[in-house]
């Protein structure tokens, strides 16, 4: 069964490209373009992992990640952003950080890395 990802990004072009790449890799992908939409989708759906942009209108990714962890603490959250430093509180809370300036495959690698222990646990 394919893992379900929630990809949250206000940059529509980047969202389209990343969603297409993730689907080609076999993931089921839900999308949201702001924090409010993301939290609604997160609450209403089974999600195996969330990828959240940091800078978004209305609600930044750190607030979205905190609320996601309050709702479902076992669901991993990766922050994907051009910001190079995050507060210690956010770093302690999220399961990964990838800079948008990194190689484009860095996010795909981080997703696979974070999901791997979960897949292994389900298989045993």
């Amino acid at each position: 069964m394919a893992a379900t990802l929630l990809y949250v990004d206000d940059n529509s072009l980047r969202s389209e490209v990343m969603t297409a790449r993730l689907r080609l890799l076999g993931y089921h992908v839900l999308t949201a373009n702001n924090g409010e939409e993301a939290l609604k989708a997160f609450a209403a759906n089974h999600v195996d992992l969330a990828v959240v942009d940091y800078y978004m209108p209305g609600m930044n990714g750190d607030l979205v990640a905190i609320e996601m962890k309050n709702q479902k603490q076992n669901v991993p959250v990766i922050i994907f952003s051009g910001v190079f430093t995050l507060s210690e509180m956010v770093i302690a809370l999220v399961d990964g950080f990838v800079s948008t300036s990194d190689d484009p495959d860095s996010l795909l690698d981080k997703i696979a890395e974070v999901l791997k222990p979960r897949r292994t646990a389900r298989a045993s």
Side-chain angles (χ1 to χ4, degrees), residues 8-73:
V8 185
D9 197 335
D10 64 319
N11 180 319
S12 60
L13 179 59
R14 184 172 54 213
S15 182
E16 284 180 41
V17 170
M18 288 307 300
T19 298
R21 291 188 75 196
L22 291 165
R23 287 183 175 144
L24 282 172
L25 291 171
Y27 296 110
H28 175 78
V29 184
L30 306 170
T31 60
N33 63 16
N34 62 53
E36 190 174 312
E37 283 181 17
L39 292 175
K40 286 178 185 175
F42 190 78
N45 294 282
H46 168 80
V47 174
D48 294 299
L49 182 143
V51 177
V52 181
D53 183 25
Y54 187 81
Y55 286 116
M56 295 183 290
M59 181 183 281
N60 278 340
D62 56 351
L63 297 177
V64 175
I66 289 167
E67 184 56 33
M68 285 178 171
K69 287 295 190 173
N70 284 336
Q71 288 181 26
K72 302 175 186 178
Q73 71 183 57

Side-chain angles (χ1 to χ4, degrees), residues 86-105:
L86 297 174
S87 72
E88 288 183 26
M89 179 187 72
V90 174
I91 291 170
L93 179 74
V94 299
D95 302 275
F97 169 76
V98 177
S99 173
T100 55
S101 64
D102 289 344
D103 179 291
D105 288 340

